[in-house]
């Protein structure tokens, strides 16, 4: 039977101080000890249940971590001040100077820039490959490779990682597989498919209110503790700690994730199907024309659908910009980066979230100028949204031949 992440998540039971039904928020950066010996032992990592200093851990962050471990079906999870805080901690924890990473070439622009540019400081090299081709991943592996990295559903091209196949390969070479699951919480459970570490930008669907930036790393207890180690832990020493008050608000928002994901997916599926019928170049994993459709279908938990993100190529950057401005005017959503909000968000990744990727490489991977990435919102009447979006395209003459259909 498929792993029921939402049940594990909703089954968690907390009692706050005074019998509150939400856990109490730990509003302290530091914690007292009745004995100096216990303080020393805690510092050494030998005392469970004792808190020392909130950069290391705090009750609120542990509650959120527990919920994320339940979501992904991992032993443990740590939370961070951003998705990038989580990603950079994992990479720097797993790789030493001179090591090598095999990464998908279509990943979030910030992750790409970190691997390609920042890691030069440590002489860590990354081979960016098409991870949908398992042979390409295998031939990029060297004796120094310390990580295979991909996104479950990639940003912004929506390539689908075959996590079982990648995990088999990773295990064959004894290399950890790290999957960023930001685009597909609940739909895909990478750890259940064999990934060793699952990363999230909580900023997106998991929090769902676009009011904060946060991240998470889900994995074994051993790995999560290593990130917190006072002497060598990248999480502890780089300091991208999530504030307790934010951890508490994200935990509350997570309780509606299962409902929101179903609605995001249902709406995106409706728009993708209809715009494809209208002759637009739509990319959405839920339509059979998507090259990763079957892989996604076989590895997903079907009740959550194919996710809330789709792309449409409207031919040129000018078309994309004109259309996004008009859609915002018509209150269809916001011309904004990020995803997972109740309103639709749209941006042209080539000039925004993926602008770190050089033009030539964007072209090689099929990231065109006219590509708009949509994070589809929770609209109650998606048919009305569809009609208004289509009217915007007609008004701009983007698709003359749509006229006949309206
Ligand atoms: N991973 C993915 C797939 C993303 O789309 C993003 C941000 O857009 C990140 C990671 C980085 O997350 P954050 O902005 O929370 O640092």
């Amino acid at each position: 039977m498929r792993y029921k992440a939402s049940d594990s998540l909703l089954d968690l039971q907390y009692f706050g101080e005074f019998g509150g039904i939400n856990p109490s928020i730990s509003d302290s950066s530091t914690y007292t000890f009745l004995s100096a010996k216990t303080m020393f032992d805690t510092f050494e990592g030998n005392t469970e249940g004792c808190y020392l200093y909130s950069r290391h851990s705090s009750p609120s962050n542990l509650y959120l971590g527990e919920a994320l471990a339940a979501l992904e079906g991992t032993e443990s999870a740590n939370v961070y001040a951003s998705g990038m805080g989580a990603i950079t901690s994992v990479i720097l924890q797993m790789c030493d100077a001179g090591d090598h990473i095999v990464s998908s070439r279509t990943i979030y622009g910030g992750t790409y820039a970190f691997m390609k540019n920042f890691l030069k400081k440590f002489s860590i090299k990354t081979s960016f490959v098409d991870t949908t081709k398992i042979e390409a991943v295998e031939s990029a592996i060297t004796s120094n490779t310390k990580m295979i990295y991909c996104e479950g559903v990639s940003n912004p091209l929506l390539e689908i990682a075959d996590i079982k196949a990648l995990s088999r390969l990773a295990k064959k070479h004894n290399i950890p597989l790290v999957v960023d699951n930001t685009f597909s919480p609940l739909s895909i459970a990478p750890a259940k498919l064999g990934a060793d570490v699952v990363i999230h930008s909580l900023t997106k669907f998991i929090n769902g209110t676009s009011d904060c930036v946060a991240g998470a790393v889900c994995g074994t207890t051993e790995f999560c503790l290593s990130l917190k180690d006072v002497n060598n832990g990248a999480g502890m020493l780089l300091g991208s700690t999530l504030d307790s008050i934010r951890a508490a608000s994200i935990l509350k928002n997570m309780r509606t994730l299962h409902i929101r994901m179903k609605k995001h997916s249902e709406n995106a599926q409706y728009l993708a199907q209809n715009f494809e019928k209208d002759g637009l170049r739509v990319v959405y994993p839920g339509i059979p024309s998507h090259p990763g459709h079957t892989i996604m279908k076989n590895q997903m938990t079907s009740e959550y659908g194919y996710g809330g993100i789709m792309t449409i190529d409207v031919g040129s950057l000018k078309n994309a910009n004109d259309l996004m401005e008009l859609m915002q005017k018509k209150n269809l959503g916001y011309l904004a980066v990020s995803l997972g909000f109740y309103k639709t968000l749209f941006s042209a990744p080539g000039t925004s979230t993926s602008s770190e990727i050089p033009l030539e490489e964007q072209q090689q991977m099929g990231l065109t100028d006219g590509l708009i990435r949509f994070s589809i919102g929770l609209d109650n009447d998606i048919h009305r949204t569809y009609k208004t979006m289509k009217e915007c395209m007609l008004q701009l003459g983007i698709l003359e031949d749509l006229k006949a259909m309206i």
Side-chain angles (χ1 to χ4, degrees):
M1 210 179 74
R2 190 82 66 189
Y3 173 66
K4 289 286 284 186
S6 57
D7 291 346
S8 314
L9 184 59
L10 294 172
D11 283 349
L12 290 173
Q13 186 184 40
Y14 300 104
F15 294 99
E17 216 180 344
F18 314 115
I21 54 161
N22 285 306
S24 303
I25 300 174
S26 45
D27 197 21
S28 297
S29 58
T30 189
Y31 303 83
T32 61
F33 289 85
L34 292 178
S35 94
K37 161 96 175 61
T38 321
M39 181 187 248
F40 177 76
D41 288 345
T42 306
F43 211 81
E44 294 283 294
N46 299 329
T47 320
E48 250 196 70
C50 284
Y51 298 95
L52 181 74
Y53 184 60
S54 285
R55 175 155 49 77
H56 183 248
S57 104
S58 73
S60 297
N61 286 7
L62 289 188
Y63 285 133
L64 179 59
E66 195 185 349
L68 285 154
L71 174 78
E72 290 298 352
T74 53
E75 277 177 6
S76 196
N78 294 348
V79 295
Y80 293 91
S82 67
M84 283 308 293
I87 291 164
T88 53
S89 295
V90 167
I91 293 174
L92 292 174
Q93 194 68 25
M94 286 187 173
C95 298
D96 289 329
D99 281 342
H100 175 250
I101 298 169
V102 178
S103 168
S104 163
R105 68 206 166 122
T106 94
I107 49 172
Y108 167 60
T111 313
Y112 175 91
F114 182 75
M115 288 177 177
K116 181 151 192 201
N117 307 328
F118 197 89
L119 288 180
K120 273 192 195 146
K121 289 182 200 294
F122 306 100
S123 304
I124 297 171
K125 289 210 175 83
T126 304
S127 302
F128 294 98
V129 300
D130 180 350
T131 42
T132 63
K133 298 198 169 71
I134 298 297
E135 330 74 70
V137 180
E138 182 153 37
S139 51
I141 293 172
T142 71
S143 55
N144 286 342
T145 307
K146 290 292 155 56
M147 171 190 302
I148 298 177
Y149 186 95
C150 67
E151 294 174 356
V153 177
S154 79
N155 182 1
L157 293 179
L158 310 183
E159 284 183 356
I160 306 299
D162 183 343
I163 297 170
K164 269 192 187 158
L166 286 168
S167 148
R168 267 196 304 273
L169 179 71
K171 285 187 175 50
K172 179 175 153 196
H173 291 271
N174 206 16
I175 301 167
L177 172 65
V178 177
V179 178
D180 179 337
N181 200 29
T182 300
F183 274 35
S184 41
L186 288 172
S187 295
I188 304 181
K192 293 290 166 193
L193 298 165
D196 299 281
V197 174
V198 183
I199 295 179
H200 278 284
S201 164
L202 303 178
T203 316
K204 315 290 166 29
F205 289 105
I206 290 185
N207 185 48
T209 47
S210 293
D211 56 359
C212 74
V213 174
V217 174
C218 310
T220 61
T221 303
E222 190 188 359
F223 183 63
C224 289
L225 285 178
S226 75
L227 286 162
K228 286 183 180 177
D229 187 275
V230 291
N231 292 304
N232 292 300
M236 177 68 181
L237 299 174
L238 296 174
S240 59
T241 308
L242 182 62
D243 183 73
S244 291
I245 293 177
R246 273 307 177 195
S249 73
I250 295 168
L251 179 63
K252 283 180 273 192
N253 290 344
M254 262 185 93
R255 293 171 185 155
T256 56
L257 180 66
H258 58 302
I259 302 169
R260 290 186 278 112
M261 286 317 295
K262 286 178 192 175
K263 193 66 181 163
H264 284 300
S265 294
E266 182 190 311
N267 284 351
Q269 182 82 37
Y270 183 90
L271 293 177
Q273 272 169 357
N274 281 289
F275 282 127
E276 188 179 59
K277 265 192 222 142
D278 293 337
L280 282 170
R281 269 181 283 166
V282 182
V283 174
Y284 181 65
I287 48 181
S289 59
H290 188 292
H293 176 68
T294 308
I295 291 167
M296 179 79 179
K297 194 171 173 183
N298 292 338
Q299 72 182 3
M300 71 193 262
T301 305
S302 55
E303 68 182 290
Y304 302 109
Y306 292 83
I309 311 293
M310 68 166 194
T311 67
I312 298 182
D313 187 342
V314 292
S316 68
L317 183 59
K318 179 172 181 334
N319 279 353
N321 289 344
D322 289 349
L323 181 61
M324 291 190 294
E325 284 170 18
L326 184 59
M327 287 191 298
Q328 180 163 255
K329 241 184 236 157
K330 299 266 180 187
N331 198 14
L332 281 166
Y334 295 112
L335 200 180
V337 298
S338 203
L339 32 129
F341 196 39
Y342 81 102
K343 280 266 206 191
T344 296
L345 303 177
F346 30 83
S347 54
T351 48
S352 59
T353 49
S354 298
S355 56
E356 296 90 341
I357 303 173
L359 261 182
E360 197 184 301
E361 286 175 40
Q362 290 191 22
Q363 277 156 7
Q364 271 167 21
M365 64 174 77
L367 210 177
T368 50
D369 269 3
L371 194 85
I372 303 180
R373 184 188 75 184
F374 292 85
S375 164
I376 304 299
L378 302 172
D379 308 24
N380 191 43
D381 183 350
I382 196 64
H383 182 66
R384 185 180 72 138
T385 305
Y386 164 65
K387 272 185 19 202
T388 317
M389 279 174 80
K390 203 158 152 176
E391 277 159 21
C392 291
M393 291 177 199
L394 284 169
Q395 186 180 325
L396 294 169
I398 285 176
L399 266 181
E400 288 300 323
D401 52 352
L402 281 182
K403 269 187 191 131
M405 295 177 199
I406 255 190

